[in-house]
Amino acid sequence: MALKRGLSSVGVQRSRSSGSRLRIVILFFFSIVTLLVFFVGQGLYISDEDSVQSGFGKQNVDWRERLASQSIKNLFTKEVIDVVSTSTADLGPLSLDSFRKSNLSTSWNFIGVESSVADKATSQSNQKATDLKQEMSQVKEGKLPNDDHSHDMLTNTLRRQLRDNRREKHVAGLVQKDDEATVKLENAAIERSKAVDSAVLGKYNMWRKEIDNENSDSTVRLMSDQIIVAKVYIIIASMKNKLDLRKELQIRLKESQHALGESTTDADLPHSASDKIKAMEKVLAKAREQLYDCKLMLGKLRAMLQASVEQVMSLKKDSMFLSQLAAKTVPNAIHCLSMRLTIEYYLLPPEKRKFPRSENLENPNLYHYALFSDNVLAASVVVNSTIMNAKDPSKHVFHLVTDKLNFGAMNMWFLLNPPGKATINVENVDEFKWLNSSYCPVLRQLETAAMKEYYFKADQPTNSGSSNLKYRNPKYLSMLNHLRFYLPLVYPKLDKILFLDDDIVVQKDLTGLWSVDLHGKVNGAVETCGESFHRFDKYLNFSNPHISQNFDPNACGWAYGMNMFDLKVWRKKDITGIYHKWQNMNEDRALWKLGTLPPGLITFYGLTHPLQKSWHVLGLGYNPNVDKKEIESAAVIHYNGNMKPWLELAMTKYRSYWTKYIKYDHPYLHSCKFSE
């Protein structure tokens, strides 16, 4: 009985033991499932929490980011900002610790104390990784106790592992991005270096601040202002009997003027300039305390301004007078050449004074040029440049007309220097017997007492000072300047002729001009009007009813210097008669000033055909900004203005286009001391 009871108790215990084991297995299984569900739920919660926190943080630091963005844009170029943005796009906010734990590029390496910190951080990271592995192995082997603490520890361990894995992934991406950014920046630097002009780099140091400083003359202007104020205070000190202060101001004024000198930029100033400025400021402050009177100060400054304006106007008039005087003068070398050639010409026997091929002078099938000049050297450049650029020089005929004084010199020069196979002839305007005062209004007007007084009475007062001085140039007294209105009379057997001034240079073959259809017009010329320049109202007096009722003030002007004239149409329309009519009406100079362009605009009004601008480029005698490409592509360049290429006041940048057609080793030029 006792034995049965023992056996039954043993069976019960075994059944209970097996039941408890089953419950433990079931409990362990549900624990594992619960942990997995908990882990997944925690992961989702963490991600949601991170997104919420990031959104909140973004709102808090939004203004800081904008401020930092503006500062970074001012410091770095767009390329650098794009590279940094690309490098950090996948990482979120960066921290210094994350960089210290990674093997980044050399630009992120730390030295000295920072390197030890980095090593320590690396060792700590490795230790954490070892601990994490041990904990994970314990979890797998089931050695950890089964309680709430173990659940939390397991969760934290897994969470830490995910964070470390994500950090390692981000750091690896950062290293790769940083390497790519370095290569990109290096390539960009190489491309930029190729575009840098080494000649410019040699002129200055790019790190000097004054190079980019627009106010590089600020100190110079400060000293100038101090000098002006000091002058005013000196006057006021004299008025108020402050002799000691006046003396001190005069001393500082001289020091500042001496230091300033002729400096135009701060770099030109001496090292003592700053001391002079401080000393002047002290005495000016003292003067302000004792002498400052707003009304009196304003009056003195106005007086000084008025005196400066009058001085500028006076200098401007003097400059204009000297410029016009220089334009009138004949250089000694040209005068010497003309005299020597004249002597040689009249020593020649009459049979040797004739030019060959005279039969071509009236052949209408050839290319004829009209050139009226009293300058031997200028005429030679026109002829030489035309022949040297002509395709067939034998078909070109030059008709030169000069005055009695230069007739021998002009003939002798071209007898000694014939223009190759081209034909040339020289005439004397004084031998045109039909050109007299009874027929020509200009000659008749030049003989009047009013015109003689205008030209030759030097002390006559004028309302405009020296503004009309240029109209007193001797060329306006010469009929060579007005002979252009009588071309059909000078060349009665020609149908077309190209008129050239003596201050031009031919750079291309001009035979194409004879093929231009003038559409029944008389004059083919290049127009010179811009948006508001060189229109009729610039040359004519539209307050006069004769002008205002017959012409458009906005009509476009054109240029003399290279003009193709159809002499057949000229004769039909009696262009010379139209010129005489208007010239007679302008005897009192009420319609226009003296010159040939205003009457030319009137005479050929509605009868001028515009040519392409590339045929004739103007302005080389007064405009320093003529486009070089336009000059080099032009068929004819014109030195209109006072700065003629044979004068010393010629613009150097344009002179070479003219001098290359002169042989400076010519015996006559050498003896008269011509120089390039």
Side-chain angles (χ1 to χ4, degrees):
M1 191 66 161
L3 179 61
K4 289 182 179 179
R5 288 179 180 176
L7 292 173
S8 62
S9 63
V10 170
V12 171
Q13 289 176 355
R14 286 180 178 177
S15 61
R16 287 179 180 177
S17 175
S18 61
S20 62
R21 287 179 182 176
L22 180 61
R23 286 196 297 270
I24 291 172
V25 171
I26 293 173
L27 179 62
F28 180 79
F29 174 77
F30 279 105
S31 299
I32 295 299
V33 172
T34 303
L35 286 174
L36 291 175
V37 173
F38 178 80
F39 171 73
V40 173
Q42 281 294 107
L44 294 175
Y45 172 77
I46 291 169
S47 62
D48 292 338
E49 183 180 10
D50 290 342
S51 63
V52 171
Q53 289 178 353
S54 63
F56 180 76
K58 183 177 181 181
Q59 294 178 356
N60 287 339
V61 301
D62 185 62
W63 68 273
R64 297 183 180 176
E65 289 181 354
R66 287 199 302 270
L67 180 60
S69 176
Q70 291 296 329
S71 301
I72 289 173
K73 287 181 180 179
N74 294 332
L75 290 174
F76 300 104
T77 62
K78 185 177 183 299
E79 292 81 359
V80 175
I81 295 174
D82 292 341
V83 170
V84 175
S85 301
T86 304
S87 301
T88 60
D90 300 329
L91 296 176
L94 298 179
S95 66
L96 188 60
D97 291 337
S98 65
F99 287 100
R100 288 171 174 167
K101 296 174 184 177
S102 308
N103 183 18
L104 302 182
S105 66
T106 56
S107 62
W108 294 96
N109 288 339
F110 300 92
I111 60 175
V113 178
E114 296 295 334
S115 62
S116 63
V117 175
D119 295 337
K120 182 178 179 181
T122 304
S123 62
Q124 291 177 355
S125 177
N126 294 335
Q127 182 63 34
K128 289 182 179 180
T130 303
D131 296 341
L132 180 61
K133 289 180 180 179
Q134 293 177 356
E135 292 176 0
M136 291 301 298
S137 63
Q138 292 177 359
V139 171
K140 292 179 180 179
E141 295 175 358
K143 295 180 179 179
L144 292 177
N146 187 15
D147 53 11
D148 294 338
H149 178 70
S150 63
H151 292 303
D152 295 340
M153 186 174 64
L154 179 60
T155 302
N156 293 335
T157 301
L158 293 175
R159 190 181 302 168
R160 186 167 63 251
Q161 182 186 16
L162 288 175
R163 285 201 301 267
D164 291 343
N165 290 338
R166 185 171 57 183
R167 183 182 295 111
E168 291 176 0
K169 182 180 178 181
H170 287 174
V171 169
L174 177 62
V175 172
Q176 182 180 359
K177 294 287 186 178
D178 184 70
D179 292 339
E180 294 176 357
T182 302
V183 173
K184 189 174 181 180
L185 288 174
E186 289 175 352
N187 293 334
I190 293 172
E191 293 299 325
R192 288 192 177 186
S193 65
K194 293 178 180 179
V196 176
D197 188 358
S198 60
V200 176
L201 287 178
K203 294 180 181 178
Y204 62 88
N205 183 346
M206 67 178 66
W207 299 108
R208 288 175 56 189
K209 293 184 178 180
E210 58 265 30
I211 298 302
D212 296 329
N213 186 7
E214 297 179 356
N215 299 322
S216 60
D217 62 341
S218 57
T219 306
V220 172
R221 290 187 284 111
L222 174 60
M223 294 186 71
S224 300
D225 292 343
Q226 286 183 336
I227 290 173
I228 293 173
V229 176
K231 289 180 179 179
V232 175
Y233 277 130
I234 288 174
I235 298 174
I236 298 176
S238 300
M239 295 172 58
K240 295 188 175 183
N241 201 26
K242 300 286 185 178
L243 302 182
D244 294 339
L245 182 56
R246 184 187 68 176
K247 184 177 180 180
E248 188 175 357
L249 284 166
Q250 289 175 339
I251 293 173
R252 299 306 179 196
L253 177 62
K254 291 181 180 179
E255 291 178 352
S256 295
Q257 289 176 333
H258 179 73
L260 182 61
E262 297 180 357
S263 301
T264 56
T265 62
D266 295 351
D268 299 332
L269 292 172
H271 296 293
S272 61
S274 58
D275 296 333
K276 305 300 182 185
I277 292 174
K278 294 178 182 178
M280 176 64 84
E281 186 59 36
K282 289 181 180 179
V283 71
L284 289 178
K286 183 178 179 180
R288 278 192 291 270
E289 293 177 357
Q290 300 183 24
L291 303 175
Y292 187 74
D293 185 335
C294 183
K295 186 175 181 180
L296 185 59
M297 190 82 172
L298 182 61
K300 294 302 178 183
L301 288 174
R302 283 181 177 176
M304 291 179 65
L305 178 61
Q306 183 63 31
S308 298
V309 170
E310 292 177 356
Q311 184 178 10
V312 169
M313 294 300 296
S314 176
L315 293 174
K316 186 177 180 180
K317 290 181 180 180
D318 292 343
S319 175
M320 184 183 298
F321 173 80
L322 294 174
S323 176
Q324 297 296 336
L325 182 63
K328 292 179 181 181
T329 58
V330 177
N332 288 335
I334 294 180
H335 180 72
C336 167
L337 177 63
S338 181
M339 293 298 99
R340 291 202 59 182
L341 290 172
T342 300
I343 294 172
E344 295 293 335
Y345 176 76
Y346 287 109
L347 292 176
L348 288 176
E351 62 272 13
K352 292 185 179 182
R353 299 180 184 178
K354 297 181 180 180
F355 292 100
R357 296 181 289 275
S358 59
E359 66 277 5
N360 293 335
L361 295 176
E362 296 181 349
N363 185 350
N365 297 321
L366 300 178
Y367 305 112
H368 294 265
Y369 301 84
L371 176 60
F372 307 150
S373 175
D374 57 359
N375 188 324
V376 176
L377 193 63
S380 71
V381 170
V382 175
V383 174
N384 290 345
S385 62
T386 305
I387 296 302
M388 291 178 66
N389 292 285
K391 295 179 180 178
D392 187 1
S394 63
K395 294 183 178 181
H396 295 258
V397 181
F398 294 89
H399 302 267
L400 271 70
V401 179
T402 187
D403 55 16
K404 180 168 58 178
L405 183 62
N406 295 281
F407 178 72
M410 197 75 74
N411 275 280
M412 190 64 193
W413 176 263
F414 288 105
L415 288 171
L416 293 173
N417 307 279
K421 296 181 180 180
T423 302
I424 194 167
N425 185 52
V426 180
E427 295 181 90
N428 181 3
V429 68
D430 296 313
E431 294 180 358
F432 296 161
K433 302 302 180 183
W434 50 268
L435 197 62
N436 50 55
S437 58
S438 60
Y439 175 70
C440 179
V442 172
L443 286 175
R444 183 172 62 255
Q445 292 169 6
L446 288 174
E447 293 177 356
T448 62
M451 193 67 72
K452 289 180 180 179
E453 183 179 8
Y454 178 81
Y455 272 112
F456 302 112
K457 191 172 182 180
D459 59 345
Q460 87 168 21
T462 58
N463 295 330
S464 55
S466 57
S467 62
N468 63 353
L469 182 62
K470 67 177 183 178
Y471 299 113
R472 301 183 186 185
N473 194 306
K475 71 178 183 179
Y476 296 115
L477 294 172
S478 173
M479 275 309 299
L480 288 176
N481 202 42
H482 294 268
L483 193 60
R484 64 192 69 191
F485 293 104
Y486 301 95
L487 289 174
L489 297 175
V490 181
Y491 310 109
K493 296 185 179 182
L494 299 181
D495 297 332
K496 273 189 174 183
I497 195 166
L498 183 64
F499 173 79
L500 299 175
D501 272 344
D502 63 357
D503 55 352
I504 62 102
V505 173
V506 178
Q507 300 186 129
K508 293 183 180 180
D509 181 71
L510 299 180
T511 55
L513 286 169
W514 275 263
S515 302
V516 175
D517 185 4
L518 299 181
H519 300 283
K521 305 294 179 65
V522 181
N523 175 26
V526 171
E527 294 182 334
T528 58
C529 59
E531 295 181 357
S532 60
F533 303 104
H534 294 176
R535 298 186 180 272
F536 271 43
D537 58 353
K538 174 181 174 62
Y539 304 99
L540 305 177
N541 179 18
F542 275 86
S543 63
N544 189 291
H546 294 294
I547 297 297
S548 59
Q549 293 174 8
N550 291 280
F551 304 101
D552 179 8
N554 294 318
C556 192
W558 45 268
Y560 270 125
M562 189 209 72
N563 305 80
M564 175 58 70
F565 290 112
D566 188 332
L567 300 183
K568 283 186 176 181
V569 182
W570 185 310
R571 296 183 185 99
K572 289 181 181 179
K573 296 185 178 296
D574 190 20
I575 299 301
T576 303
I578 297 174
Y579 163 70
H580 282 176
K581 169 190 172 183
W582 286 100
Q583 191 66 51
N584 284 326
M585 294 173 62
N586 193 48
E587 185 170 358
D588 57 354
R589 301 184 304 282
L591 305 183
W592 69 84
K593 299 292 185 180
L594 296 175
T596 56
L597 182 56
L601 296 175
I602 290 176
T603 301
F604 296 103
Y605 183 68
L607 299 172
T608 300
H609 174 74
L611 300 176
Q612 293 182 359
K613 292 187 180 297
S614 60
W615 280 112
H616 186 191
V617 171
L618 299 101
L620 278 70
Y622 70 91
N623 183 7
N625 299 316
V626 181
D627 190 352
K628 186 177 181 179
K629 293 181 179 179
E630 292 185 3
I631 295 175
E632 294 177 349
S633 62
V636 172
I637 55 176
H638 194 172
Y639 293 84
N640 57 313
N642 288 332
M643 300 179 183
K644 303 298 184 186
W646 56 83
L647 298 176
E648 291 184 1
L649 51 80
M651 282 184 275
T652 307
K653 61 188 296 186
Y654 302 142
R655 199 166 185 267
S656 60
Y657 298 105
W658 187 81
T659 56
K660 68 180 181 180
Y661 293 103
I662 298 176
K663 295 181 180 179
Y664 284 94
D665 58 349
H666 192 282
Y668 281 89
L669 299 183
H670 183 72
S671 63
C672 288
K673 299 181 180 180
F674 277 90
S675 60
E676 294 188 42

